[in-house]
Amino acid sequence: MLTRIVRSGLLAAATGLTLSATVTVAAQTSPSMFTPALAARPDITHALAHVDATFDAHVAEWIKLTEMPALSTHEHERAAYIRGELTKLGLTSTVDPVGNVMARRKGTGGGQTILLAAHMDTVHPMNTNVTVKRLPDGTLHAPGVFDNTASVANVLAMLRAMNAAKVTTKGDVILLFTVQEELGLKGMYYWFDHNPNAADVIVATDGELGAVNYGALGIYWSKMKFTAAGAHTLSSTGQPNPARAAAQCITDIYTIPLSTSDVAAPTVYNVGMLGGGTVVNAISPESWFTVDLRTIDPAKLKELDTAIMAKCQAAAAAHKVTFTREYIQQSEAGGRPERLVDRLNGPVVQTAVSVLKYLNVPIVPGGEPTPTGSTDANVGVVHGVPSVAIGRTRGGNQHSLTEWSDIESAKLGTKQLMLVMVALAGVS
């Protein structure tokens, strides 16, 4: 899952406490494709029992995957392992030009095609110590053990359980193990651009167990670069100075107001990195900084982006330097809550909610689905495909060296995933 940097009003979006009473009431009466009778079918009961019976092997594989370094763009070892396991399950997998692994579990016909996405990459450098520590309190500790290795292990465990119980679905289930999610959902964007009509529904497994995200947080990451000829300090007086332009621009950006009163669609921006120059005693020929801009409101996203660009252009003109902008990533916003009511009230989100209730898993955060998200499901939301992101395990400290995950919760995460998939795809 993409890191979220909180400033000003974004806290409300990150904690999910933003839905109106009208939307909440509507959610309570919405249809779901899951029923307890589905879970009581002999084949589904068998599959759920298989998750319990093989859980030790599930955890061992989870640890094994976690100890395969998988920094974004370096997912090859995990991809090879996953392909081998898919082959054992009787599935033919392919790898696309960017490294995504895809397989199709064929249905019998007459159901929706469901895309299930789990990203393989982590944010941790390849030389990071990813040895997993299993503590007596029932937790696993290692970089990447929660985000998103737990999801990959859950998907493989789900497939084995469905095979063991001979569970067949009406609709096809496309299994997509994506790359470069942490770099801006690049693997998912690539896959969707080349398969725009392949799936009727997109389900991403990413986040804490109990999360149900049906929106898309718009995220623009930009590198703002200011350049000039440069000069020795002794001859620098009055010369164009990229560092001064960058400094003025940063100061000016932070004068752009944020709508802190709009709790339904808070906005945030942050200058996170600065760089430039090669020696102390000279004007830097290039100075740069990065901007992280986020909101679920498409109009606000464009408005703030335009305002930030105007500050940069004005600073460059004032200091007679050249300004260029480089996008690091550009993920569009999915829409405000009032624009996504149909999605909240639709069968995809409500099926995910019903499954959590059936499993007695509290919906987090805030006790209701949230109209935001920073997962592979964003791509579907932005393109109008019914999409939802659901959690994997309980855990915390993701994207840090102290990342951890609760072991036992992976059982619930896997059962949740299976019940959502068979409900949405239909069972034969």
Side-chain angles (χ1 to χ4, degrees):
M1 178 181 288
L2 292 170
T3 307
R4 298 183 184 181
I5 302 172
V6 177
R7 178 178 181 266
S8 188
L10 188 63
L11 183 59
T15 55
L17 304 177
T18 61
L19 289 180
S20 68
T22 301
V23 173
T24 302
V25 170
Q28 293 170 350
T29 59
S30 296
S32 169
M33 298 178 72
F34 171 80
T35 64
L38 173 63
R41 284 173 50 117
D43 54 347
I44 304 301
T45 300
H46 182 185
L48 294 172
H50 188 275
V51 173
D52 293 326
T54 60
F55 192 60
D56 287 345
H58 177 165
V59 175
E61 182 173 58
W62 181 6
I63 293 171
K64 183 175 183 177
L65 283 162
T66 301
E67 292 181 346
M68 296 178 186
L71 176 68
S72 301
T73 73
H74 294 80
E75 303 92 343
H76 314 89
E77 185 179 2
R78 290 191 181 188
Y81 177 84
I82 291 167
R83 293 194 73 191
E85 295 306 304
L86 292 174
T87 298
K88 294 176 187 177
L89 288 162
L91 298 173
T92 301
S93 64
T94 59
V95 179
D96 66 23
V98 298
N100 295 315
V101 174
M102 190 193 83
R104 182 183 293 265
R105 193 176 192 269
K106 290 289 293 182
T108 58
Q112 302 180 105
T113 297
I114 313 300
L115 173 69
L116 172 58
H119 73 86
M120 297 183 288
D121 58 321
T122 75
V123 301
H124 305 286
M126 294 297 285
N127 61 354
T128 303
N129 183 354
V130 290
T131 302
V132 178
K133 295 179 181 179
R134 185 168 185 167
L135 300 188
D137 65 356
T139 58
L140 299 179
H141 294 250
V145 72
F146 182 47
D147 184 14
N148 191 36
T149 314
S151 290
V152 175
N154 287 359
V155 172
L156 292 175
M158 178 199 75
L159 291 172
R160 293 189 187 102
M162 291 176 68
N163 272 18
K166 296 182 172 56
V167 175
T168 57
T169 56
K170 293 179 179 179
D172 291 1
V173 175
I174 300 173
L175 305 154
L176 185 66
F177 299 89
T178 62
V179 297
Q180 301 184 53
E181 189 268 357
E182 302 290 3
L183 297 183
L185 319 179
K186 289 185 178 179
M188 185 64 177
Y189 270 111
Y190 180 91
W191 184 88
F192 192 93
D193 287 345
H194 291 80
N195 303 274
N197 302 307
D200 299 309
V201 174
I202 294 175
V203 176
T205 172
D206 192 357
E208 186 175 1
L209 180 64
V212 179
N213 292 337
Y214 64 93
L217 182 65
I219 304 174
Y220 285 4
W221 288 352
S222 305
K223 186 175 184 179
M224 307 304 196
K225 297 190 290 187
F226 300 84
T227 57
H232 192 284
T233 300
L234 292 175
S235 57
S236 63
T237 303
Q239 295 299 310
N241 192 320
R244 291 187 64 185
Q248 178 182 323
C249 186
I250 292 172
T251 301
D252 291 346
I253 284 174
Y254 278 96
T255 67
I256 299 172
L258 295 173
S259 303
T260 55
S261 61
D262 188 357
V263 295
T267 56
V268 61
Y269 54 74
N270 178 63
V271 174
M273 299 172 65
L274 301 92
T278 55
V279 294
V280 174
N281 57 334
I283 288 178
S284 165
E286 178 182 281
S287 293
W288 57 268
F289 61 87
T290 62
V291 176
D292 180 4
L293 170 63
R294 304 182 181 216
T295 179
I296 62 172
D297 186 331
K300 282 188 180 180
L301 188 64
K302 298 298 184 185
E303 177 186 331
L304 282 173
D305 186 59
T306 298
I308 289 169
M309 285 292 291
K311 298 295 186 184
C312 293
Q313 290 161 348
H319 292 278
K320 298 182 174 61
V321 301
T322 300
F323 165 68
T324 57
R325 181 228 197 116
E326 173 188 324
Y327 277 112
I328 301 171
Q329 81 133 328
Q330 188 176 8
S331 299
E332 299 300 334
R336 298 173 60 88
E338 58 268 26
R339 295 288 300 274
L340 298 176
V341 172
D342 61 329
R343 296 301 175 85
L344 172 63
N345 296 338
V348 176
V349 173
Q350 293 307 311
T351 295
V353 170
S354 296
V355 168
L356 287 175
K357 290 180 178 178
Y358 174 79
L359 294 172
N360 293 317
V361 177
I363 300 174
V364 295
E368 56 197 8
T370 54
T372 185
S374 51
T375 72
D376 281 332
N378 285 33
V379 179
V381 174
V382 169
H383 286 90
V385 178
S387 304
V388 69
I390 58 178
R392 56 212 166 208
T393 60
R394 298 187 179 97
N397 297 348
Q398 64 186 34
H399 292 195
S400 78
L401 298 179
T402 59
E403 193 167 337
W404 65 275
S405 191
D406 175 75
I407 297 172
E408 195 70 15
S409 65
K411 282 185 187 178
L412 285 171
T414 304
K415 291 176 180 179
Q416 168 208 219
L417 187 58
M418 184 191 307
L419 293 176
V420 168
M421 299 310 294
V422 296
L424 294 176
V427 285
S428 301

